[in-house]
Amino acid sequence: KQEVTQIPAALSVPEGENLVLNCSFTDSAIYNLQWFRQDPGKGLTSLLLIQSSQREQTSGRLNASLDKSSGRSTLYIAASQPGDSATYLCAVRYRSGTYKYIFGTGTRLKVLA
Amino acid sequence: DTGVSQDPRHKITKRGQNVTFRCDPISEHNRLYWYRQTLGQGPEFLTYFQNEAQLEKSRLLSDRFSAERPKGSFSTLEIQRTEQGDSAMYLCASSLFTMTSGRNTGELFFGEGSRLTVL
């Protein structure tokens, strides 16, 4: 079964800390993987898209890596700020003849001032 | 504004009523998705359109749900005879599919969602 798992489900860190969020997927045959941020009651904001041929993508303080062989992606957030508090979701599009993106349940991040 | 827009943002209805949500994707985007999200969960796929063609539907999409994308522009999602279990956030996303050097592009962009409460 094609699934996406995110660990931990929740994380609370002091401001300024570097942190890593994890995303695991069950099949290495993927088109791409995308990380999103979601604030309470809002839609999803795209953070980074990694194509299957790429190993990592960077945007500002965010860096996402992709290791298809181990079925893992990590989102690294440098120098965390209270404004980074949100739920972070990853989504995978598998190559199995489907168009859909499968989402994990997210990691709820709280950065304490 | 060139983002994905959804309407209405909030809908409260009584059980048994019909509701319709509208999604306007980013103008040049040819792919459109509907997802449903309940509290504490990730979005669940409902259906996918490429231009005006509905190419994939989830088994979650019972016969009370119907979606259209006439002319490959905006899309509507209708829920007939609503049930309390339909209460959720309904999210629309769009992307642009092109083949560039043999690779798919296709970053997903979401709207703010339409929150449905069924009493």
Side-chain angles (χ1 to χ4, degrees):
Chain A
K1 184 183 177 185
Q2 292 172 334
E3 295 180 332
V4 177
T5 304
Q6 292 187 249
I7 294 172
L11 185 61
S12 186
V13 300
E15 182 178 7
E17 205 164 279
N18 301 326
L19 53 99
V20 173
L21 308 181
N22 296 295
C23 173
S24 300
F25 46 96
T26 51
D27 185 344
S28 62
I30 66 171
Y31 279 116
N32 54 41
L33 182 147
Q34 194 168 350
W35 283 93
F36 296 89
R37 167 189 174 134
Q38 187 174 32
D39 293 292
K42 303 288 188 181
L44 282 66
T45 300
S46 176
L47 296 174
L48 290 164
L49 170 70
I50 310 179
Q51 304 290 352
S52 63
S53 59
Q54 297 174 324
R55 296 299 299 269
E56 65 177 350
Q57 282 283 4
T58 298
S59 176
R61 293 184 295 110
L62 305 179
N63 175 277
S65 67
L66 176 64
D67 183 347
K68 289 189 297 179
S69 62
S70 65
R72 292 181 57 189
S73 176
T74 59
L75 179 67
Y76 176 83
I77 304 176
S80 58
Q81 303 170 357
D84 295 330
S85 298
T87 296
Y88 291 80
L89 295 149
C90 72
V92 173
R93 186 174 163 213
Y94 288 100
R95 285 188 178 268
S96 58
T98 177
Y99 295 96
K100 67 186 175 190
Y101 288 76
I102 298 176
F103 282 81
T105 52
T107 294
R108 195 168 58 254
L109 173 66
K110 186 167 187 177
V111 181
L112 305 170
Chain B
D1 182 32
T2 57
V4 178
S5 62
Q6 294 189 243
D7 184 71
R9 295 290 312 279
H10 304 275
K11 178 72 176 179
I12 300 173
T13 191
K14 293 182 179 178
R15 189 177 54 185
Q17 298 295 305
N18 300 340
V19 296
T20 299
F21 300 116
R22 176 180 170 124
C23 172
D24 286 273
I26 294 171
S27 60
E28 68 271 22
H29 282 187
N30 49 8
R31 290 186 161 180
L32 187 146
Y33 297 79
W34 285 100
Y35 279 82
R36 180 172 69 185
Q37 187 180 29
T38 53
L39 200 62
Q41 301 298 312
E44 291 179 297
F45 171 77
L46 292 179
T47 192
Y48 161 73
F49 289 86
Q50 185 158 318
N51 300 309
E52 68 276 9
Q54 188 176 23
L55 297 186
E56 191 170 352
K57 290 191 333 182
S58 166
R59 283 170 291 185
L60 292 173
L61 216 66
S62 74
D63 55 7
R64 295 186 299 106
F65 288 69
S66 62
E68 293 183 338
R69 193 184 182 198
K71 303 178 183 177
S73 55
F74 71 92
S75 176
T76 58
L77 176 69
E78 181 183 17
I79 309 174
Q80 296 182 326
R81 304 182 303 281
T82 52
E83 302 172 355
Q84 287 183 326
D86 297 330
S87 296
M89 175 80 90
Y90 290 85
L91 295 162
C92 176
S94 70
S95 70
L96 176 64
F97 173 71
T98 60
M99 291 298 291
T100 305
S101 301
R103 299 183 307 157
N104 286 335
T105 55
E107 183 175 3
L108 276 183
F109 293 91
F110 278 83
E112 288 292 335
S114 293
R115 180 168 296 285
L116 173 65
T117 302
V118 181
L119 302 176

